[in-house]
Amino acid sequence: MVRCEQDPISAGTVVSRMRALDAALPRRDGIAVFNRVYLTVTAEADRRVDAGPSADTRAAVTLNALFAERYLAAVEAVSEGRRPPACWRPLFQFRHHPGVRPPQFALAGINAHIGHDLALAVVDTCRVLGCEPVRLEDEFEEVGELLAALEERIREELMPGADLLRLADPLTHLAGAWSLERARDAAWTAARALWALRGLPDVAEEFAARLDTAVGFAGRMLLTPLPG
């Protein structure tokens, strides 16, 4: 399990790196599809923080930055010829598959990011700030709102309209089989479990590895090639 002890990258740096990816990747690339919708909601969240009250927002900024950094680290690993976490591997493996539709790429990305990255980002943030997960519950809920906006953006921009998406279309069933709310609940439970296991590093490492594998398996199912 990766531990981030230093202060995280800034929100502005996160957005800049996502914009660089958006400019560099082919539009149909599966990573580009996910990155595009993630960039939109991340930039909006950054603007809200800048326009918000002047109260200390370090916890929220830290959690958001460490959360995004795990996705960006997976992209960097692949670009350097290293293996990304198991949760991200299906998306990188199928990113150019002609039988996988854009909504599947986006949902597989959000599955990896919530199912694995979010839990570990909460633990990372607790280590940086020296606090318990319960201290971050409000910030976790704010991240959940961002993720809900991300899922809504996916469905608005990438899913076909009701007149095109038939009930018999396999994409309808794939999209309906994955639940953002359940994934968020599971991420919070996993974060609390990992924090409770911090005194047993071998057990925590095994728990995180099994979580990574399970989320990767779900991602592989979301990326099942479909008929055109």
Side-chain angles (χ1 to χ4, degrees):
M1 180 171 59
V2 176
R3 296 183 177 88
C4 302
E5 303 290 349
Q6 71 280 3
D7 282 340
I9 57 177
S10 69
T13 301
V14 166
V15 171
S16 295
R17 288 170 66 183
M18 287 186 190
R19 283 177 176 155
L21 277 173
D22 186 51
L25 295 174
R27 192 162 184 80
R28 183 64 175 75
D29 184 303
I31 300 300
V33 172
F34 171 72
N35 187 79
R36 208 155 43 241
V37 289
Y38 193 23
L39 170 60
T40 302
V41 297
T42 300
E44 176 60 28
D46 192 24
R47 285 192 291 271
R48 289 179 186 176
V49 170
D50 290 342
S54 59
D56 181 15
T57 58
R58 188 182 180 215
V61 170
T62 301
L63 177 57
N64 278 314
L66 287 172
F67 183 37
E69 173 62 14
R70 286 194 168 271
Y71 155 61
L72 293 169
V75 174
E76 183 177 344
V78 172
S79 70
E80 295 177 351
R82 295 180 285 112
R83 295 185 80 192
C87 62
W88 285 105
R89 284 174 209 157
L91 183 53
F92 283 100
Q93 291 167 353
F94 284 80
R95 64 194 291 183
H96 301 298
H97 197 295
V100 179
R101 303 186 197 176
Q104 293 176 260
F105 290 134
L107 288 174
I110 197 173
N111 168 71
H113 205 33
I114 297 175
H116 175 262
D117 293 354
L118 183 54
L120 271 64
V122 170
V123 175
D124 293 341
T125 304
C126 288
R127 292 184 184 280
V128 169
L129 301 181
C131 67
E132 299 283 329
V134 66
R135 162 67 180 79
L136 300 176
E137 194 161 4
D138 288 345
E139 288 74 18
F140 184 90
E141 290 302 318
E142 289 178 14
V143 170
E145 292 177 8
L146 181 147
L147 295 170
L150 175 56
E151 185 188 37
E152 182 178 356
R153 180 84 56 172
I154 290 169
R155 296 185 185 279
E156 286 179 355
E157 293 188 0
L158 300 178
M159 295 289 283
D163 56 332
L164 299 175
L165 190 60
R166 304 182 306 276
L167 289 178
D169 192 322
L171 181 58
T172 306
H173 299 281
L174 273 179
W178 187 84
S179 166
L180 173 66
E181 184 176 357
R182 287 198 297 270
R184 283 171 52 186
D185 289 346
W188 181 246
T189 299
R192 293 176 61 198
L194 284 167
W195 185 252
L197 291 170
R198 66 192 183 282
L200 300 169
D202 290 346
V203 179
E205 194 81 30
E206 181 178 352
F207 182 96
R210 291 185 182 276
L211 176 67
D212 191 17
T213 300
V215 173
F217 180 76
R220 175 62 185 84
M221 296 300 101
L222 287 170
L223 292 168
T224 300
L226 302 177

